[in-house]
Amino acid sequence: MILDGDIKLYRIGELAKAGGVSERTIDYYTKLGLISPEKRTLKNYRLYSHETLLRLQRINDLKQEKYTLEEIRQTLDKWDAGPEVHQVSDKLTYLELHMQQLEREVNELSPLIQKMKPGQARHLLLNLLPQGAACIEAIRLFLEQGPTL
């Protein structure tokens, strides 16, 4: 690792090791434009920043979710562009309306679940997908506590 002022820069091998990929993968992603070096040394070696390592981890996460490299490029381009204030506001408004609908549905379900026998309720909850159960728990906590801003 090379220090450039306060910035830590990784050589290609160091970045590959830290990101859990091969050096060939780093070369390939660089050629595709998914990642880019922060700067080059006098001997023309590529140096990558810590942000590139984080980007590489995002790419790996998206690959694990079965996104194609083209879909990953599009996703990264959207992240790079950064959201405009009105886009965030629109999304938050949509999310708020959706949360209100979910709250109504949870309130409708709550008395029905309370009337069930404990074994029946447990059986229903055990048959939910782990992601669904985690989402339900997150919504429950959010509704109880509200957002922390």
Side-chain angles (χ1 to χ4, degrees):
M1 191 176 319
I2 297 173
L3 290 176
D4 183 31
D6 290 335
I7 300 173
K8 296 177 184 176
L9 298 174
Y10 298 87
R11 294 183 190 102
I12 189 169
E14 296 167 331
L15 181 67
K17 185 176 180 181
V21 297
S22 69
E23 291 181 25
R24 288 187 67 190
T25 299
I26 300 295
D27 283 335
Y28 187 58
Y29 288 173
T30 301
K31 287 177 186 167
L32 290 178
L34 294 174
I35 60 173
S36 57
E38 184 74 23
K39 63 189 318 187
R40 291 187 175 263
T41 66
L42 294 175
K43 294 184 179 182
N44 209 28
Y45 291 116
R46 289 171 287 172
L47 299 174
Y48 296 88
S49 68
H50 183 71
E51 285 75 24
T52 304
L53 176 60
L54 297 176
R55 187 176 180 95
L56 184 60
Q57 291 167 342
R58 282 190 207 123
I59 292 169
N60 287 336
D61 290 344
L62 291 169
K63 280 181 66 179
Q64 292 295 319
E65 295 176 21
K66 307 294 185 212
Y67 285 88
T68 66
L69 288 176
E70 183 55 36
E71 291 169 330
I72 291 171
R73 177 200 315 280
Q74 292 171 1
T75 301
L76 293 174
D77 287 347
K78 288 178 186 174
W79 287 344
D80 290 343
E84 294 186 23
V85 173
H86 73 277
Q87 289 174 319
V88 173
S89 177
D90 290 348
K91 291 279 187 190
L92 287 173
T93 300
Y94 170 79
L95 183 59
E96 182 180 16
L97 293 172
H98 197 67
M99 290 294 293
Q100 289 171 357
Q101 176 62 33
L102 289 172
E103 184 176 12
R104 283 191 294 274
E105 291 178 20
V106 167
N107 288 336
E108 289 172 12
L109 270 177
S110 190
L112 296 174
I113 291 173
Q114 289 175 357
K115 290 178 185 177
M116 294 178 129
K117 295 177 183 174
Q120 289 175 318
R122 189 174 330 110
H123 178 73
L124 283 176
L125 293 175
L126 289 174
N127 286 322
L128 290 174
L129 292 174
Q131 298 90 342
C135 184
I136 289 170
E137 181 63 14
I139 291 169
R140 187 186 64 75
L141 289 171
F142 184 77
L143 292 174
E144 286 177 2
Q145 298 174 0
T148 55
L149 297 177

